[in-house]
Amino acid sequence: MANIIGARDALEPARDVLLAGGIVAIPTETVYGLAGDATNGDAVLRIFEAKGRPRFNPLIAHVSSIEMAEALARFDPLSRRLAEHFWPGPLTIVLPMVAGSPVHPLATAGLDTVALRAPRGFGRELIEALRRPLAAPSANSSGRISGTSAAAVAADLGARIPLIVDGGQTPVGLESTIIKVEPERIVLLRPGGLPVEEIEALSDRPVMRRHGGEIVAPGMLASHYAPDARVRLDVDAVRPDEALLAFGPYRVEGADRARAMLNLSETGDLREASRNLFAFLQQLDLAGAATIAVEPIPGHGLGEAINDRLSRAAAPRGAPHA
Ligand code: TXA
Ligand code: MG
């Protein structure tokens, strides 16, 4: 079983594991990451194995500064501006890789682009101490809900990793927003913890959402974030035996007979709802209902990412991805 150490005392032990090519679950402001030295092929392989993640699905390389990022990728002016403004923070930018990039090709799944993010908190300190980029997908087995607490990570991956750094509940609760800047537009590859409106406010071109069909990044479509229970969205009434994931001050019909109920935010605050989303899905799942009914959640701001994760949780279960 994994050793769990509080973030305050974990910098050295985590660094030692990483320098030896091992992997460590670490807190970031978004979700916990399963980190390894991005320049070490063995470490990257261990990440894929521990998650059961298909090798064709590339990993984000985490950096502690734009200078460090520039050793890995070529920034266009708008990508640089967005990095300057939002890093460290929940924004991942896909960029063309520089020739001779030290990031191992297994981490990028052989693509000629690399996804970069500078996280806040313990992850940032660790990268600074290591002075190497960290490959870190969300700390969950492939196809499962991302871990937002050390306990959730331990329950899912504890038997397969040596060390979990406990930084408490992650403040954002959703994975980073992933974008790619193109000459005429910004492509939104994954809505996440940075609302699209905030990116648009700083940009000279529109942000384009992807609409079904086209798989830009493997692992971004189909069933994902899957609890065991089925998930039914935008309900206007609770059916017998369902659990209810509620949002806001008003309840749908039949809420009083739900098998279990958790409210993402009584006041209708999307930040609070983001923080609670994954843990509440898991708790309702454990309550044993065959179906989790979800009340409507507005689509603006962080609501876009919340609805994205919920619709993946509700998607028909096929071959699981990342
Ligand atoms: O908040 C987050 O982003 C967390 C924390 C740990 O940083 N990480 C995370 O990683 O969510 P992961 O691996 O679960 O999701 C990263 C997504 C994957 O869907 C992958 O396909 C996509 O990023 N991705 C990685 N490299 C890419 C690239 N070069 N082009 C397009 N998509 C890429
Ligand atoms: Mg993930």
Side-chain angles (χ1 to χ4, degrees):
M1 268 321 260
N3 199 2
I4 303 181
I5 306 185
R8 224 177 277 225
D9 306 312
L11 205 54
E12 261 188 50
R15 203 192 58 176
D16 291 347
V17 171
L18 292 168
L19 284 175
I23 57 177
V24 185
I26 58 164
T28 81
E29 78 278 38
T30 56
V31 297
Y32 277 71
L34 186 56
D37 176 352
T39 68
N40 180 331
D42 290 335
V44 174
L45 207 54
R46 286 198 178 96
I47 295 174
F48 280 102
E49 277 166 2
K51 276 183 68 92
R53 176 168 170 136
R55 306 274 160 81
F56 58 76
N57 192 4
L59 308 178
I60 297 172
H62 295 71
V63 294
S64 55
S65 66
I66 294 182
E67 293 66 55
M68 191 170 173
E70 279 178 324
L72 311 178
R74 245 187 350 268
F75 280 79
D76 59 277
L78 180 54
S79 293
R80 186 168 225 291
R81 195 146 94 98
L82 294 171
E84 276 166 3
H85 200 269
F86 293 113
W87 284 1
L91 176 67
T92 296
I93 308 177
V94 174
L95 293 165
M97 210 148 49
V98 296
S101 161
V103 171
H104 198 277
L106 267 174
T108 53
L111 299 175
D112 55 7
T113 57
V114 61
L116 295 176
R117 174 167 111 78
R120 275 188 216 133
F122 181 84
R124 179 180 170 79
E125 288 172 48
L126 185 58
I127 297 162
E128 268 173 0
L130 203 69
R131 301 221 214 93
R132 289 186 202 174
L134 283 182
S138 51
N140 53 275
S141 11
S142 189
R144 308 297 299 187
I145 294 170
S146 297
T148 54
S149 67
V153 175
D156 183 356
L157 295 176
R160 278 174 274 159
I161 59 179
L163 179 60
I164 298 172
V165 177
D166 187 351
Q169 204 198 349
T170 58
V172 175
L174 295 171
E175 303 85 348
S176 60
T177 300
I178 306 181
I179 58 164
K180 183 166 198 250
V181 171
E182 295 184 350
E184 304 291 327
R185 57 183 198 162
I186 298 172
V187 181
L188 179 66
L189 295 171
R190 177 177 75 184
L194 180 68
V196 167
E197 291 88 335
E198 293 192 33
I199 297 171
E200 269 169 336
L202 278 185
S203 304
D204 55 1
R205 57 204 93 168
V207 176
M208 305 297 293
R209 272 85 175 165
R210 294 177 314 109
H211 295 287
E214 171 198 14
I215 301 181
V216 180
M220 312 248 1
L221 284 179
S223 167
H224 200 77
Y225 308 98
D228 288 328
R230 289 193 308 146
V231 175
R232 198 163 69 81
L233 301 179
D234 287 324
V235 304
D236 52 16
V238 179
R239 296 177 188 156
D241 267 348
E242 284 184 335
L244 178 63
L245 186 62
F247 177 82
Y250 308 108
R251 294 290 64 76
V252 291
E253 201 191 309
D256 49 335
R257 56 166 193 262
R259 237 178 115 127
M261 178 178 83
L262 288 171
N263 193 332
L264 288 169
S265 170
E266 309 258 356
T267 59
D269 175 13
L270 289 168
R271 263 177 197 279
E272 184 185 12
S274 301
R275 268 199 302 275
N276 288 330
L277 180 67
F278 291 144
F280 283 12
L281 273 175
Q282 245 154 2
Q283 283 174 44
L284 289 179
D285 209 17
L286 288 175
T291 303
I292 300 170
V294 184
E295 288 185 351
I297 297 169
H300 61 82
L302 289 169
E304 181 170 2
I306 295 173
N307 281 299
D308 170 81
R309 302 307 186 271
L310 283 168
S311 54
R312 288 172 204 278
R317 308 288 154 78
H321 285 300

